[in-house]
Amino acid sequence: MRLLILGGTWFLGRHLAERALSAGWAVTTFNRGTSAADTPGVSAVHGDRENPDDLHRLADHGPWDAAIDTIGYVPNQVLAAASALAPVVGHYVYLSTINVYTGWPDQPLDEDSPVFDCPPDAGADFGADLGYAGQYGALKAGCEQAVTATVGTDKTTILRPGVILGRYEYVGRLTWWLARAARGGPLLAPAPATRPIQPIDVRDVADFALRCARHGTSGTFNITAPAGHATFADLVTGCITTTGSDAEPVWADPAWLTAHGVEQWTGLPLWRTHAGVWAVDSSRAHAAGLRCAPLTATIDDTWAWLTEGGSWIVGEGEAARAADHGLPHDRERELLTEWQRSSNAR
């Protein structure tokens, strides 16, 4: 099996490369070669997807049985890459996002839910009036259109992941909870502890993407853990258990947290009260072979990586993104004191 990965050095792309190599595949990666080291064992082609000459030079290294695009964010760039590669690629897997749905995170979703309308040749400025999340979702929807319009729906897999966690993470979500749990002591957590969550292990996303590439599986799939897979308590207590700390969760009321300026999604990573944020139907993918490891396995593997010297900070942009996640220690301590005071006053 000959596989091309657009990306292949960060998080999901790195897992794809490592797992494909372990399966005996011949793997080519294409990236600028400036952000992270190439995965040992791949045939690395360095270039810029915004440069037509680089794309045509890449195509000369084909053919491939399949390509997986992990780094396409601008429709006209994805359109150019898909056009250059279509003659030399048997099947095309594009990594999109649940942000393409106009109803996320407010409404429960399945693959037939409405998505943003964005043309396949749109530039990076499309949807600037939608805000960061809306623009991101609209652009990714345009990227989906770019791939299917060029390669054809029968040769395309569109994967729409929710939150992906695990080894090599650079966003700072699970990594923050692990670092915070390891510090011990009273730990501010968002009630209710029973709130269901659907994060998925990066290894499971990689395995399903490779499965689709190998079998030429076409279609669109939401990629999340199934409903009922885990709760917020499983996340918090799992981090405490894995790190062996003496941390004790203090479950604070969500309305109180919001009133005291705790940002949802970033202040306490993965916490969000919107009705649809963890109500994504991924049964289609599970029927097609997606498998999900227990959340504890994801927590354990991520902690093992961190204690081995791993870091989620890859470059300046990622460092800034990770710094936006999680409460500073002093601010958390202030909130814990205030919550205790307000609880005693009731």
Side-chain angles (χ1 to χ4, degrees):
M1 183 84 179
R2 286 171 53 84
L3 175 69
L4 169 65
I5 302 174
L6 302 182
T9 60
W10 289 3
F11 199 26
L12 175 59
R14 185 170 168 184
H15 280 277
L16 285 167
E18 291 178 349
R19 295 173 94 77
L21 289 168
S22 295
W25 297 13
V27 180
T28 302
T29 58
F30 176 72
N31 52 69
R32 290 176 298 176
T34 59
S35 301
D38 293 307
T39 302
V42 306
S43 175
V45 179
H46 292 157
D48 193 329
R49 68 185 302 156
E50 297 184 49
N51 186 330
D53 291 337
D54 287 350
L55 291 175
H56 291 301
R57 179 170 54 84
L58 171 64
D60 289 339
H61 288 262
W64 296 277
D65 298 294
I68 302 178
D69 186 350
T70 69
I71 57 173
Y73 295 98
V74 181
N76 60 14
Q77 295 175 15
V78 172
L79 183 66
S83 298
L85 296 172
V88 294
V89 168
H91 193 78
Y92 209 103
V93 180
Y94 176 69
L95 267 296
S96 186
T97 172
I98 58 171
N99 287 70
V100 300
Y101 295 112
T102 58
W104 192 85
D106 299 306
Q107 303 167 9
L109 302 169
D110 61 26
E111 287 87 352
D112 295 323
S113 299
V115 301
F116 285 101
D117 184 16
C118 176
D121 59 351
D125 58 346
F126 183 90
D129 58 330
L130 298 173
Y132 173 78
Q135 183 180 31
Y136 172 64
L139 289 173
K140 293 291 273 188
C143 292
E144 294 182 2
Q145 295 296 320
V147 174
T148 55
T150 305
V151 182
T153 55
D154 60 328
K155 295 174 60 179
T156 300
T157 306
I158 303 295
L159 302 183
R160 294 171 176 166
V163 172
I164 305 175
L165 301 177
R167 181 178 291 250
Y168 311 145
E169 181 199 340
Y170 58 83
V171 178
R173 291 170 174 154
L174 178 54
T175 48
W176 183 84
W177 279 109
L178 281 163
R180 174 59 193 90
R183 196 168 71 233
L187 186 161
L188 187 66
T194 55
R195 184 185 302 279
I197 58 176
Q198 292 180 286
I200 188 167
D201 192 299
V202 63
R203 295 168 294 182
D204 296 324
V205 181
D207 286 344
F208 186 69
L210 293 173
R211 178 187 179 94
C212 291
R214 180 173 63 250
H215 295 296
T217 305
S218 61
T220 299
F221 301 92
N222 292 334
I223 307 297
T224 68
H229 185 72
T231 65
F232 220 98
D234 293 327
L235 170 69
V236 175
T237 60
C239 289
I240 294 170
T241 300
T242 294
T243 58
S245 82
D246 65 351
E248 296 183 6
V250 177
W251 297 95
D253 179 73
W256 184 93
L257 290 170
T258 300
H260 284 75
V262 179
E263 292 287 339
Q264 295 193 33
W265 208 237
T266 54
L268 291 173
L270 302 178
W271 165 57
R272 206 165 191 169
T273 58
H274 302 68
V277 66
W278 300 117
V280 179
D281 182 357
S282 54
S283 57
R284 182 185 296 180
H286 291 279
L290 175 64
R291 298 293 178 263
C292 289
L295 182 57
T296 52
T298 309
I299 293 170
D300 288 346
D301 190 59
T302 306
W303 181 242
W305 166 60
L306 290 176
T307 54
E308 291 162 5
S311 172
W312 64 90
I313 297 176
V314 181
E316 291 184 2
E318 287 63 53
R321 190 174 184 186
D324 288 339
H325 286 75
L327 292 170
H329 178 53
D330 289 346
R331 178 56 180 151
E332 183 195 12
R333 187 167 53 191
E334 292 172 359
L335 288 165
L336 284 165
T337 299
E338 182 60 30
W339 171 253
Q340 185 63 48
R341 183 182 300 116
S342 63
S343 298
N344 291 339
R346 295 190 184 104

